[in-house]
Amino acid sequence: AVPHRLSLKGIVEIGASAGLNLALDRYRYRWGDVEWGTSPLLLEAGSRGADPQPRPVAVGRRIGLDVNPLDPRDPDDRAWLEALLWPEDPDRRSRLRAALDITAGLDIEMVAGDASITLPEVLDTLPAGEPVVVMDSCTLNQLTPEQRSALEKAVADARRDRDVFRISLGQRWRDDGSSLDIDDGTGWRQVAEAHHHGRWVDFYVLP
């Protein structure tokens, strides 16, 4: 049987940089023996825990929030992102270039500014009653407690009109990995741990 398609009317990323994570449905993934997607770009992670059960995803609007958004089509922005990689890691550079090419072909809305201010404004532009995902990856540690509180208040306010699902990587750190946490409106729970650069993931068995 074909798994039920997950429809995401909107994805909003806090700290989106060039929007690579907003192209999440355009990559191919492999976790141990589990593979999902048909993209020429393969993102592979060792699986240390429960096998994931990926589903087809249909994405509507893709919106990135960043103090200084980058354009995957701009040669200078691409060069800057490559400069941030370790010189001895050519495989990662190859994946970055492929992801930038994929992202450059998508309609991604980038919003410049402090996400604690722009998030409520962006959420207000989405149709009431339609679910939205708000995600971040190794970003919250760069914000002040006041900014983090403002983000959570924006999500709580938006939940009066729609379902808002939060996904956050990196709220709790350890030497070789960080936590993957979700909140569907009933409170935060940790669902996995992952290597900071995606080399492995440890999914928990969810109830």
Side-chain angles (χ1 to χ4, degrees), residues 80-95:
W80 167 247
L81 289 172
E82 286 198 32
L84 299 176
L85 300 180
W86 299 323
E88 68 272 18
D89 199 344
D91 290 341
R92 195 172 172 203
R93 179 170 290 100
S94 176
R95 289 193 299 271

Side-chain angles (χ1 to χ4, degrees), residues 67-148:
V67 173
N68 180 36
L70 301 179
D71 185 347
R73 296 173 292 271
D74 183 271
D76 290 339
D77 286 350
R78 292 173 69 108
W80 167 247
L81 289 172
E82 286 198 32
L84 299 176
L85 300 180
W86 299 323
E88 68 272 18
D89 199 344
D91 290 341
R92 195 172 172 203
R93 179 170 290 100
S94 176
R95 289 193 299 271
L96 172 62
R97 290 173 178 172
L100 286 167
D101 289 342
I102 291 170
T103 305
L106 297 178
D107 182 15
I108 295 179
E109 306 167 51
M110 300 298 290
V111 180
D114 182 340
S116 66
I117 297 173
T118 59
L119 178 61
E121 298 170 350
V122 165
L123 291 176
D124 282 344
T125 70
L126 299 171
E130 295 188 351
V132 59
V133 172
V134 177
M135 64 183 187
D136 63 84
S137 174
C138 302
T139 300
L140 297 184
N141 62 302
Q142 303 176 46
L143 306 181
T144 66
E146 292 76 19
Q147 287 174 311
R148 293 195 293 269

Side-chain angles (χ1 to χ4, degrees), residues 6-205:
L6 179 63
S7 180
L8 303 177
K9 297 298 183 180
I11 300 179
V12 181
E13 184 180 12
I14 301 166
S17 184
L20 302 186
N21 289 334
L22 292 166
L24 57 90
D25 59 321
R26 302 303 177 96
Y27 308 140
R28 181 162 52 102
Y29 303 87
R30 182 182 296 147
W31 307 272
D33 296 329
V34 178
E35 189 166 320
W36 181 88
T38 59
S39 172
L41 173 55
L42 173 64
L43 302 178
E44 189 168 9
S47 180
R48 296 185 176 183
D51 286 336
Q53 299 178 344
R55 296 158 56 183
V57 177
V59 179
R61 291 177 65 184
R62 308 168 197 262
I63 307 173
L65 313 181
D66 203 281
V67 173
N68 180 36
L70 301 179
D71 185 347
R73 296 173 292 271
D74 183 271
D76 290 339
D77 286 350
R78 292 173 69 108
W80 167 247
L81 289 172
E82 286 198 32
L84 299 176
L85 300 180
W86 299 323
E88 68 272 18
D89 199 344
D91 290 341
R92 195 172 172 203
R93 179 170 290 100
S94 176
R95 289 193 299 271
L96 172 62
R97 290 173 178 172
L100 286 167
D101 289 342
I102 291 170
T103 305
L106 297 178
D107 182 15
I108 295 179
E109 306 167 51
M110 300 298 290
V111 180
D114 182 340
S116 66
I117 297 173
T118 59
L119 178 61
E121 298 170 350
V122 165
L123 291 176
D124 282 344
T125 70
L126 299 171
E130 295 188 351
V132 59
V133 172
V134 177
M135 64 183 187
D136 63 84
S137 174
C138 302
T139 300
L140 297 184
N141 62 302
Q142 303 176 46
L143 306 181
T144 66
E146 292 76 19
Q147 287 174 311
R148 293 195 293 269
S149 295
L151 290 174
E152 296 312 313
K153 182 180 185 301
V155 171
D157 290 345
R159 282 178 172 149
R160 298 170 186 166
D161 299 318
R162 63 178 63 83
D163 290 328
V164 181
F165 300 92
R166 284 285 283 114
I167 302 174
S168 182
L169 176 66
Q171 291 203 45
R172 291 181 292 275
W173 291 71
R174 58 184 215 187
D175 289 343
D176 62 339
S178 53
S179 64
L180 177 63
D181 302 87
I182 64 172
D183 176 15
D184 59 4
T186 61
W188 285 101
R189 57 179 174 146
Q190 186 176 6
V191 297
E193 292 184 3
H195 183 270
H196 305 310
H197 293 153
R199 293 174 183 166
W200 56 262
V201 62
D202 183 355
F203 286 108
Y204 305 151
V205 178

